[in-house]
Amino acid sequence: QRMLGKREGVHTLSLILSHDLMPASAPDYVRAGRAARALRRFQDANGFFRQANAQAPTDVAVNVAWGELFLEAHERGEAARSFQAALRTNAEHPEALIGLARTVSEDNPPLARKLAAQVLTLNPTAALVWEYCDGEHDVEAIIDEIAGVFPSAPRPDVDVRTMLDSFLQTGLIEPRPAN
C-alpha cells in the first residue's frame, strides 16, 4: 500500500480477499490475513490466521502475524500467547521478541526493555542504529555514523532506513516532527 495511493491499495487488497480461489496453504492464509488486517477487517483476519495456525501451529510467521493482529485489537493476552508460540519455535526471532515486548510494555516495562535489548544484541548494526536514535541525529546523520563505523562495507542507507522503519512500526521510536 505504500507504493499505491490509499484508494488503489484498498482496491488491490480487496481483490486479494475476494479472489475466487480460497487460500489453501498456511502462507496463503497469512497473506489473506494481512490483507484483511490492512483493510481493518479484523474478524476476517482472525479467521485467516486461525486457519493458518490450524495448518502450521509452530510456524513463526503465522504466530507473529496473528500476535500483531491481537496487539492491534488490544488483546494483549492473546497477543502474548501468539508471540510466545513463535518464540518456542525460534527463541531469537526479532519480530516475536519485539511483539512480546510491546505486549508487556505497560504491565512490565523492565521485561519489555529486556526483550528489546535481546533483539539489539542479536544484531550489532541495529544496536548502533538504536544508539543514534537520540533525537539529535536525523536519518542521514545516522547513516553517516554507521558508515563511519564500517568504512570498508557498502554504504548502509537501505539497511539503516529498514531498521528505522522497523523501530517505527514496532513503536520503539516516534517520527520526528517536521520543522
Side-chain angles (χ1 to χ4, degrees):
Q1 217 172 345
R2 284 186 184 164
M3 300 302 280
L4 301 172
K6 184 171 181 142
R7 186 173 304 152
E8 294 87 359
V10 167
H11 178 71
T12 300
L13 293 174
S14 296
L15 288 173
I16 291 168
L17 289 175
S18 67
H19 196 273
D20 287 339
L21 301 174
M22 286 304 300
S25 68
D28 291 334
Y29 282 116
V30 169
R31 279 190 292 279
R34 286 182 176 143
R37 178 179 169 213
L39 291 170
R40 308 198 58 71
R41 292 171 51 179
F42 296 116
Q43 287 182 327
D44 291 336
N46 189 48
F48 287 128
F49 291 134
R50 179 176 287 124
Q51 289 294 326
N53 189 264
Q55 289 185 10
T58 61
D59 187 286
V60 173
V62 169
N63 285 300
V64 168
W66 207 5
E68 289 169 350
L69 174 72
F70 285 131
L71 197 53
E72 187 173 349
H74 305 286
E75 296 287 338
R76 293 189 177 279
E78 292 295 329
R81 279 188 278 286
S82 291
F83 293 126
Q84 288 165 342
L87 291 168
R88 279 192 296 278
T89 301
N90 179 352
E92 296 183 340
H93 192 275
E95 290 177 64
L97 288 166
I98 291 296
L100 187 57
R102 290 177 59 212
T103 301
V104 302
S105 64
E106 290 180 16
D107 298 329
N108 194 341
L111 177 57
R113 281 190 294 278
K114 179 182 174 191
L115 291 165
Q118 194 174 341
V119 172
L120 296 175
T121 59
L122 294 173
N123 183 337
T125 304
L128 286 171
V129 172
W130 176 253
E131 190 175 309
Y132 292 115
C133 290
D134 56 8
E136 301 295 318
H137 293 82
D138 64 12
V139 174
E140 292 305 317
I142 294 172
I143 291 169
D144 290 342
E145 293 285 355
I146 302 300
V149 172
F150 304 106
S152 61
R155 189 147 169 87
D157 298 58
V158 173
D159 291 341
V160 170
R161 289 179 194 283
T162 300
M163 190 65 54
L164 291 171
D165 188 50
S166 174
F167 289 167
L168 277 168
Q169 289 188 19
T170 56
L172 290 174
I173 61 173
E174 294 179 358
R176 193 176 219 186
N179 290 335

